[in-house]
Amino acid sequence: MFDIDRFAADCRAALAERGNDAIREVVRRAVSEPGKIIGKLGEQPCAFADILVRAPDLTILNVVWGSRQWTLPHNHRYRAIIGMYGGGEDNIYWRRLPEDSKGRVEAAGAASLRRGEVTVLGRDIIHSVTNPLDKLSYALHVYDGDFLSAEGKSCWDAETLIELPYDAALVSPMFGQALASK
C-alpha cells in the first residue's frame, strides 16, 4: 500500500541531496505501482486535486486531470517533480519575451508524460498543461517548498500571453478553486 508519510520522508531525503536524479527516482518508484496509489488515495470519478502534504519544505499534491483539462501558462517558484500514475499530460514550456513591458511569453518547447514517467521542472520554469486524453489522468506533484503560498508566482492570459498575478482559479478552473480554498 502507498504510504504517504513514508513517501514524504523519502522525498525530503532525496530533496536534501539537491540533485534531480534522487527525487526523480523516489517519485518514479511510487508511480510505477499505480494500483497501490489508487488503493490508498481512491479512484476519482472526475477532475480532483488534493493536498497530501503541506509544509514549509514540501508540498505533495494528488492531481487527477479531467478529460481534455488544461491550465494557463504559470510558474511555481519551486522545483516541481511530476510523476504520472495513470493517463498522461502534455506540457508546453514558455519563455519570457526579452524586454517586453507586459511580461509576455512565447512557446519554447514541449514534452509529453505518460503513465510511469517523471519529469523535474526547475524553479523558474513557466509551463502549461493539457490532459490530451478522453479519460482521467493521475499524477503526483511534489514541490520543494510550500507551493500553495509561494510569493511571486504568475500566470499568463491565454489570449494575450500577458503576465498576471497568480490566481489558482484562473490557472486551472476545474480544480484551482478547490486548492485555493485549502
Side-chain angles (χ1 to χ4, degrees):
M1 183 74 56
F2 178 69
D3 183 301
I4 296 167
D5 293 333
R6 177 81 251 151
F7 180 64
D10 290 348
C11 286
R12 282 186 170 101
L15 288 168
E17 292 182 25
R18 288 290 179 214
N20 289 337
D21 291 341
I23 187 62
R24 183 183 289 113
E25 180 56 23
V26 167
V27 176
R28 189 206 56 74
R29 273 196 319 267
V31 300
S32 72
E33 299 186 274
K36 290 183 177 185
I37 298 173
I38 292 172
K40 175 67 175 180
L41 303 179
E43 194 159 350
Q44 301 300 319
C46 59
F48 174 82
D50 192 27
I51 301 166
L52 302 177
V53 174
R54 183 176 182 192
D57 67 330
L58 182 69
T59 302
I60 302 174
L61 305 177
N62 179 35
V63 178
V64 180
W65 295 100
S67 172
R68 308 281 181 195
Q69 184 178 348
W70 52 268
T71 70
L72 291 176
H74 62 281
N75 59 15
H76 300 125
R77 293 294 192 216
Y78 286 105
R79 183 168 35 163
I81 303 86
I82 301 167
M84 300 301 300
Y85 66 98
E89 68 175 53
D90 291 342
N91 286 264
I92 298 174
Y93 301 116
W94 302 84
R95 68 174 159 244
R96 293 177 183 273
L97 290 170
E99 302 178 34
D100 186 278
S101 64
K102 296 181 180 179
R104 285 184 290 207
V105 292
E106 65 182 0
S112 292
L113 291 173
R114 295 301 182 263
R115 186 171 66 91
E117 295 181 329
V118 177
T119 193
V120 179
L121 305 179
R123 295 173 180 267
D124 296 323
I125 293 290
I126 301 167
H127 77 134
S128 56
V129 181
T130 300
N131 172 5
L133 306 176
D134 287 326
K135 66 178 192 172
L136 298 176
S137 292
Y138 295 77
L140 293 175
H141 288 213
V142 178
Y143 304 89
D144 64 352
D146 185 355
F147 161 69
L148 298 170
S149 66
E151 294 183 12
K153 292 187 295 189
S154 297
C155 62
W156 283 262
D157 181 83
E159 185 174 357
T160 65
L161 298 175
I162 291 173
E163 187 172 11
L164 304 168
Y166 187 89
D167 180 334
L170 283 177
V171 169
S172 180
M174 290 181 81
F175 56 59
Q177 196 67 11
L179 286 177
S181 66
K182 292 184 181 195

